[in-house]
Amino acid sequence: MLDVFLVQMDCGIFDKVRSLLSKANLQKHKAGEQVSGIIMLPEMFATGYIPTNPSDYAEDFSNAEAGATAKFLSELANETGCAVMGAGIGIGPEGKLRNHSSIYLPGQTTEYSSYDKVHPFFPEQEEFKGGENISLFEINGWKISSAICYDLRFPELFRDAVKKGAQLITVQAAWPKIRVEHWETLLKARAIENQVYIAAVNGVTIDGVSDNGTGSKNDAIALGGNSMIITPQGEIISRGSSDCEEVVHNSLDDVSLAEYRKAFPVLDGIV
């Protein structure tokens, strides 16, 4: 089993994450025990999508002392006993900005795993370089891969992740309310066609317009919430609202996943 916690929030305040999680059913990790679960935060949760002059908000995520967001992710992992998946603006080896996802584990001060968004969305394309690699990491025996927002429209990325062994694919997003029907349809499709769990966390805009203090280029675009957890059969088992900050939670069962893939072998000859 794996517990998944999706922190659906308007962006920009670290303490807001802690406040929302304080209301969730988190079991405190103890030394020597397995990681309790995975906490997911929306795309660019600390800055909003996309801040004006994004290079001013670029950070190093490699270790807990490298930047403010990495430090927060590491601290939150220690506080909750969960793996914590944040997302922000990173810098690639060539100096170009990356839309970056970063994972920290309890008791570790270096980044456990990371992913750079392969498919930058239109507003990003001038200033951001797409990543080149599919991510795959393991939490409590689960093989997990990552995607970010616009990646959802490219099914080959998800199929490649499944070919590498993914049982769960995470999606961190700043998906607009005006296209929320696309969000649900595409998430369910990616789950069904790949026989994987999908855990997708989206930002949500409160009172119509996001106010994150960074001068976001897209402040006028309301984010649609509807964070959700979807089974390999395409069933939505947990779902957030379209206008509230909240934590969406469920427990995933790898035994039922294996049994379903065996009983309905869609992936035979593919993986």
Side-chain angles (χ1 to χ4, degrees), residues 134 136 145-147 151-152 154-166 169 189-196 198 261 266-271:
I134 302 294
L136 191 72
S145 187
S146 303
D151 284 334
L152 182 58
F154 298 85
E156 63 277 5
L157 186 149
F158 288 74
R159 180 53 54 87
D160 287 345
V162 172
K163 287 180 178 179
K164 288 180 174 290
I169 300 178
R190 299 294 89 86
I192 292 167
E193 68 197 4
N194 292 296
Q195 295 188 319
V196 291
I198 296 287
R261 285 182 173 182
V266 171
L267 299 176
D268 276 9
I270 299 174
V271 301

Side-chain angles (χ1 to χ4, degrees), residues 38 85 103 112-113 135-139 142-146:
I38 183 168
M85 178 181 287
I103 301 167
Y112 174 63
S113 185
S135 74
L136 191 72
F137 59 95
E138 191 168 310
I139 302 289
W142 281 77
K143 293 181 179 179
I144 305 171
S145 187
S146 303

Side-chain angles (χ1 to χ4, degrees), residues 14-82:
F14 289 161
D15 284 345
K16 183 184 294 184
V17 178
R18 289 187 170 98
S19 176
L20 289 168
L21 285 170
S22 70
K23 305 169 187 176
N25 185 28
L26 284 167
Q27 301 298 318
K28 186 68 177 72
H29 173 82
K30 296 180 181 178
E33 292 184 350
Q34 280 190 319
V35 173
S36 299
I38 183 168
I39 293 169
M40 293 174 53
L41 306 174
E43 180 182 20
M44 295 187 185
F45 81 99
T47 64
Y49 180 87
I50 299 171
T52 302
N53 301 319
S55 59
D56 293 345
Y57 299 89
E59 298 181 68
D60 181 353
F61 289 83
S62 62
N63 67 79
E65 300 303 318
T69 304
K71 183 175 186 291
F72 170 73
L73 299 178
S74 178
E75 290 175 348
L76 190 64
N78 290 331
E79 292 166 12
T80 61
C82 290

